[in-house]
């Protein structure tokens, strides 16, 4: 499944992971360790699962890994919403927008990939 041409979702999820790292470092500096740890794990794993899907053994394997990435995106969105709604947390609005964008793209990829299954 991996090709040499640009892959929007791979690139977006990588850049998103870098932003998550920056945001969780701010959370750690503010001693918001619980959310920082959970958000770091789920936010970074989105890209890792997308990247792993690129080398899927089959279309079913690709879809499965993309579904895992979609679940991690949902979890990440939850933690970002918690931070956004909590009065003592730095705002996460930009990250929420990017997370929603990734979620929509993953949904389209999964849907179109499922339509190719026999």
């Amino acid at each position: 499944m991996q090709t040499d041409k640009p892959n929007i979702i791979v690139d977006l999820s990588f850049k998103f992971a870098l932003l998550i790292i920056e945001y969780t470092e701010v959370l750690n500096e503010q001693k918001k360790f619980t959310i920082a740890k959970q958000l770091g794990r789920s936010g970074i794993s989105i890209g890792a699962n997308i990247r792993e899907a690129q080398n899927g053994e089959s279309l079913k394997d690709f879809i499965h890994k993309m579904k895992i990435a979609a679940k991690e995106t949902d979890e990440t969105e939850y933690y970002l919403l918690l931070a956004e709604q909590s009065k003592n947390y730095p705002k996460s609005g930009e990250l929420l927008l990017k997370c929603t964008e990734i979620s929509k793209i993953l949904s389209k990829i999964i849907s179109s990939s499922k339509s190719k299954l026999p």
Side-chain angles (χ1 to χ4, degrees):
M1 290 261 173
Q2 192 168 9
T3 65
D4 291 334
K5 60 183 176 179
N7 187 318
I8 292 169
I9 193 64
V10 170
D11 295 341
L12 274 175
S13 61
F14 185 81
K15 290 174 185 171
F16 182 74
L18 292 173
L19 291 173
I20 287 289
I21 290 168
E22 289 176 18
Y23 185 72
T24 56
E25 286 175 351
V26 170
L27 292 178
N28 281 323
E29 288 170 6
Q30 295 181 6
K31 299 185 181 190
K32 313 282 190 212
F33 301 120
T34 304
I35 295 293
K37 187 174 183 179
Q38 292 297 114
L39 181 59
R41 286 182 178 169
S42 65
I44 293 169
S45 76
I46 296 166
N49 282 294
I50 290 169
R51 188 104 180 233
E52 188 177 341
Q54 304 309 301
N55 294 309
E57 295 175 13
S58 65
L59 183 56
K60 282 185 178 182
D61 188 39
F62 173 81
I63 293 168
H64 174 72
K65 287 176 173 61
M66 292 302 256
K67 283 183 176 180
I68 293 170
K71 288 179 182 181
E72 294 293 337
T73 304
D74 286 343
E75 183 179 346
T76 300
E77 183 179 37
Y78 177 74
Y79 296 126
L80 289 170
L81 284 168
L82 284 174
E84 185 70 20
Q85 305 265 331
S86 297
K87 63 180 178 177
N88 295 322
Y89 277 70
K91 295 301 173 194
S92 61
E94 178 191 349
L95 285 169
L96 268 169
L97 291 173
K98 291 187 182 300
C99 192
T100 300
E101 180 183 8
I102 289 170
S103 181
K104 287 178 182 177
I105 294 170
L106 282 172
S107 181
K108 288 179 183 176
I109 290 169
I110 292 166
S111 177
S112 67
S113 295
K114 281 182 174 180
S115 71
K116 295 176 186 174
L117 287 173

